[in-house]
């Protein structure tokens, strides 16, 4: 694997943070009530599984975390993310369970069932591959989760699927992708310099089989990437946008890699790259870990400043009619 050859693991479950996290209660407007909302913040301690992979020098690449809405290509058909939520009975059971298990060092699994305590399974819905590990063979939940990640096929006739359908060419079965390209130039001192550029490409859905994507555009997530109002939406393959000049097992020692992922260093890195929502680490063995700006108490989306995917795209390709 070369330094810039990206590992593109599909996202099929909720990604763990590279650090251990903790829930911090948000202040309540009513001082006499217990806070009901929390935020998740990263501690300075590395996630044990992540730290073990780093120590074992398992090859990895780092990609930009893209702020859109998740999709998945299954049987050459685009699917959108659809999480099953708990029923009222399931919510009561989970709330009671978490309250009981909050101070124990060995929490027990929640005793709820996919078919009894979640909303009915919609037609065509498939459980995300990674979420299957949360249930046993009888569909009883064996991990403490409040929802079940899955996918629904996108339908051309549904108004709710309008923006998912816009980048699709239904007749030719292709999807409009933002494709990053690495460009190497030679500076005056003869040192090679690598940079990223982006372009749109129509890619057959069959070529995207099994991949997860992120839909971005003017109608998605407050248009954080500053698409023109009438621009056509597009997909980004998860893991396809490399973060340049970051350490790899080929170019850096274990200590250098660990230093890069230290809490203070990574916070500084994201401060210096304010247009990034965060980063995702893809290991060659398939594991995925993320860190979001909010984990490190950094604002997102930005109120001012650059929101674009680096250089993003030239105006002629970037704009089209709805």
């Amino acid at each position: 694997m070369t330094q810039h050859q990206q590992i593109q693991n599909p996202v099929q479950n909720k990604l763990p943070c590279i650090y251990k996290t903790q829930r911090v209660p948000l202040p309540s407007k009513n001082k006499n009530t217990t806070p009901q909302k929390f935020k998740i913040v990263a501690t300075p301690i590395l996630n044990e599984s992540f730290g073990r992979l780093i120590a074992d020098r398992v090859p990895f690449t780092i990609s930009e975390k893209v702020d859109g809405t998740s999709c998945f290509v299954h049987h050459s058909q685009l699917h959108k993310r659809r999480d099953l939520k708990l029923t009222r009975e399931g919510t009561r059971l989970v709330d009671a369970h978490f309250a009981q298990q909050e101070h124990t060092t060995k929490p027990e699994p929640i005793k709820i069932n996919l078919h009894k305590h979640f909303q009915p399974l919609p037609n065509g819905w498939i459980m995300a591959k990674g979420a299957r590990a949360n249930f046993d063979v009888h569909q009883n939940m064996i991990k403490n989760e409040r929802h079940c990640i899955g996918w629904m096929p996108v339908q051309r006739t549904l108004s709710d699927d309008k923006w998912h359908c816009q980048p699709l060419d239904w007749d030719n079965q292709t999807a409009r992708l933002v494709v990053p390209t690495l460009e190497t130039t030679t500076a005056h001192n003869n040192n090679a310099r690598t940079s990223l550029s982006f372009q749109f490409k129509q890619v057959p859905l069959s070529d995207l089989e099994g991949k997860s994507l992120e839909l971005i555009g003017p109608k998605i997530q407050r248009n954080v990437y500053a698409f023109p109002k009438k621009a056509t939406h597009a997909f980004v393959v998860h893991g396809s946008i490399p973060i340049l000049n970051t350490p790899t097992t080929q170019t850096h020692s274990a200590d250098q890699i660990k230093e890069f992922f230290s809490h203070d260093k990574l916070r500084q890195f994201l401060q210096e790259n304010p247009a990034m929502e965060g980063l995702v680490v893809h290991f060659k063995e398939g594991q995925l870990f993320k860190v979001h700006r909010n984990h490190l108490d950094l604002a997102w989306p930005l109120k001012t400043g650059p929101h674009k995917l680096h250089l993003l795209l030239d105006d002629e390709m970037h704009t089209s009619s709805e």
Side-chain angles (χ1 to χ4, degrees):
M1 183 179 69
T2 63
Q3 183 177 352
H4 295 301
Q5 185 179 345
Q6 285 297 105
I7 301 170
Q8 297 179 12
N9 297 323
V11 177
Q12 286 284 341
N13 207 347
K14 187 177 180 181
L15 301 189
C17 181
I18 70 173
Y19 304 105
K20 289 185 177 180
T21 58
Q22 60 185 10
R23 292 201 310 168
V24 176
L26 294 172
S28 173
K29 293 181 180 179
N30 187 340
K31 296 181 179 179
N32 298 320
T33 61
T34 303
Q36 297 296 311
K37 293 185 177 180
F38 297 82
K39 66 177 181 179
I40 305 298
V41 298
T43 69
I45 303 170
L46 283 180
N47 179 311
E48 289 181 7
S49 298
F50 180 81
R52 194 159 44 244
L53 289 163
I54 293 296
D56 291 343
R57 297 188 65 77
V58 176
F60 66 87
T61 57
I62 305 174
S63 70
E64 181 167 341
K65 187 179 186 301
V66 180
D67 189 8
T69 184
S70 293
C71 306
F72 176 59
V73 179
H74 179 62
H75 291 167
S76 296
Q77 183 178 9
L78 183 71
H79 288 61
K80 63 181 181 180
R81 180 166 163 175
R82 168 73 182 275
D83 294 357
L84 292 188
K85 297 181 179 179
L86 293 163
T87 61
R88 288 185 179 180
E89 180 186 0
T91 300
R92 286 195 296 268
L93 287 171
V94 169
D95 288 344
H97 175 86
F98 274 106
Q100 185 180 25
Q101 300 290 317
E102 188 173 0
H103 302 294
T104 182
T105 55
K106 294 183 178 180
E108 296 179 359
I110 304 173
K111 296 180 180 178
I112 58 175
N113 183 271
L114 179 67
H115 299 284
K116 290 174 60 178
H117 301 116
F118 282 85
Q119 296 171 342
L121 306 184
N123 290 333
W125 183 87
I126 56 173
M127 186 186 293
K129 184 177 179 180
R132 295 173 196 165
N134 298 339
F135 297 86
D136 63 18
V137 293
H138 303 294
Q139 300 298 292
N140 294 313
M141 184 173 277
I142 56 176
K143 289 189 178 180
N144 294 347
E145 297 287 349
R146 290 181 177 269
H147 60 276
C148 180
I149 296 174
W151 308 102
M152 281 285 293
V154 167
Q155 298 185 46
R156 194 174 187 175
T157 55
L158 289 183
S159 59
D160 287 349
D161 294 347
K162 177 180 179 180
W163 306 120
H164 289 80
C165 292
Q166 192 195 47
L168 298 177
D169 182 335
W170 291 87
D171 294 332
N172 295 306
Q173 286 293 289
T174 62
R176 190 171 191 250
L177 258 60
V178 174
V179 179
T181 303
L182 289 169
E183 298 180 342
T184 302
T185 57
T186 303
H188 294 297
N189 56 5
N190 291 324
N191 288 333
R193 180 180 177 181
T194 303
S195 60
L196 274 176
S197 64
F198 297 87
Q199 59 180 314
F200 286 122
K201 286 186 178 179
Q202 289 294 138
V203 177
L205 283 169
S206 58
D207 290 353
L208 301 172
E209 182 65 33
K211 293 184 181 294
S212 59
L213 320 169
E214 201 80 1
L215 175 67
I216 59 174
K219 300 296 184 180
I220 305 296
Q221 298 290 44
R222 307 166 302 281
N223 192 22
V224 294
Y225 298 116
F227 273 62
K229 289 183 179 179
K230 293 187 177 182
T232 300
H233 292 67
F235 300 102
V236 179
V237 176
H238 285 152
S240 65
I241 301 179
I243 299 180
L244 303 181
N245 304 316
T246 53
T248 70
T249 54
Q250 294 174 300
T251 59
H252 292 70
S253 68
D255 288 342
Q256 289 173 321
I257 293 171
K258 192 172 181 179
E259 181 184 6
F260 174 81
F261 287 116
S262 67
H263 191 280
D264 291 342
K265 286 283 188 182
L266 201 50
R267 191 175 192 277
Q268 180 183 346
F269 177 83
L270 288 175
Q271 282 180 313
E272 294 170 353
N273 294 275
M276 290 184 189
E277 184 200 17
L279 54 83
V280 179
V281 183
H282 297 245
F283 285 95
K284 191 175 182 180
E285 295 178 352
Q287 301 91 336
L288 288 161
F289 294 83
K290 72 178 180 182
V291 66
H292 189 286
R293 298 181 70 85
N294 293 157
H295 286 138
L296 302 175
D297 200 27
L298 296 173
W300 183 265
L302 305 178
K303 293 181 180 179
T304 59
H307 289 202
K308 297 183 179 181
L309 276 172
H310 306 301
L311 319 174
L312 206 50
L313 307 143
D314 64 63
D315 292 338
E316 183 178 352
M317 293 186 70
H318 196 50
T319 306
S320 63
S321 60
E322 287 185 300

